[in-house]
C-alpha cells in the first residue's frame, strides 16, 4: 500500500483512528518533601494499565475513578465509582484493572479495586 493510500485510509476512519490520550502526573502525599508517586495510564477499550513509581517510604493508595452503567431511572445513567490500588513503598510497577479509568489521585477510599 502506498503512503498516500495509507494516509487516506486513516483519514477515512476519522475519530476511530485516534487512540485515547495517556494521562500522567505526580502525587505528593506529604507535601513536597521528597515523598512522591509518579503515575501514568492510557485507557484501553475495556481495561486500563496503571503504571506507578513510588518514591515514598510507605505504601500509598492511588484512587482510581471510573463509571458504571446505572439503572435506567438514574439520569444520566452513569454512576461514578472510586477504588484504590496500593503502590508499595520504593516500588516501580504496574497494575491492570478491568475497567476504563477516568481519573487518578491520592485521595482516600476504602474500596480496593
Amino acid at each position: 500500500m502506498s503512503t498516500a493510500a495509507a494516509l487516506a485510509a486513516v483519514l477515512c476512519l476519522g475519530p476511530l483512528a485516534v487512540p485515547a490520550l495517556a494521562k500522567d502526573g505526580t502525587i505528593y502525599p506529604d507535601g513536597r518533601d521528597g515523598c512522591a508517586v509518579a503515575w501514568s495510564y492510557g485507557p484501553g477499550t475495556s481495561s486500563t494499565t496503571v503504571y506507578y513509581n513510588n518514591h515514598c517510604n510507605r505504601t500509598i493508595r492511588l484512587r482510581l475513578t471510573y463509571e458504571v452503567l446505572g439503572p435506567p431511572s438514574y439520569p444520566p445513567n452513569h454512576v461514578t465509582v472510586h477504588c484504590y490500588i496500593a503502590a508499595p513503598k520504593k516500588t516501580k510497577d504496574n497494575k491492570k484493572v478491568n475497567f476504563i479509568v477516568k481519573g487518578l489521585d491520592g485521595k482516600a477510599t476504602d474500596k480496593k479495586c
Side-chain angles (χ1 to χ4, degrees):
M1 178 183 281
S2 72
T3 304
L7 180 60
V10 168
L11 292 176
C12 288
L13 290 175
L16 298 177
V18 179
L21 296 176
K23 304 197 183 338
D24 60 24
T26 303
I27 294 170
Y28 300 94
D30 300 324
R32 294 183 181 261
D33 64 352
C35 177
V37 181
W39 57 266
S40 68
Y41 68 88
T45 56
S46 63
S47 65
T48 305
T49 301
V50 177
Y51 300 88
Y52 58 85
N53 188 357
N54 185 355
H55 298 277
C56 300
N57 288 320
R58 63 185 171 91
T59 297
I60 302 296
R61 289 182 176 185
L62 303 176
R63 183 178 78 158
L64 307 180
T65 301
Y66 62 101
E67 292 179 345
V68 295
L69 191 60
S73 62
Y74 188 85
N77 207 22
H78 288 104
V79 178
T80 300
V81 179
H82 302 286
C83 64
Y84 76 88
I85 59 173
K89 67 180 183 177
K90 301 293 185 182
T91 302
K92 182 178 181 179
D93 204 352
N94 65 71
K95 171 81 174 169
K96 182 177 180 181
V97 292
N98 293 319
F99 50 82
I100 299 170
V101 173
K102 301 286 185 182
L104 187 152
D105 59 38
K107 295 181 180 174
T109 185
D110 292 333
K111 182 181 174 190
K112 190 171 183 178
C113 296

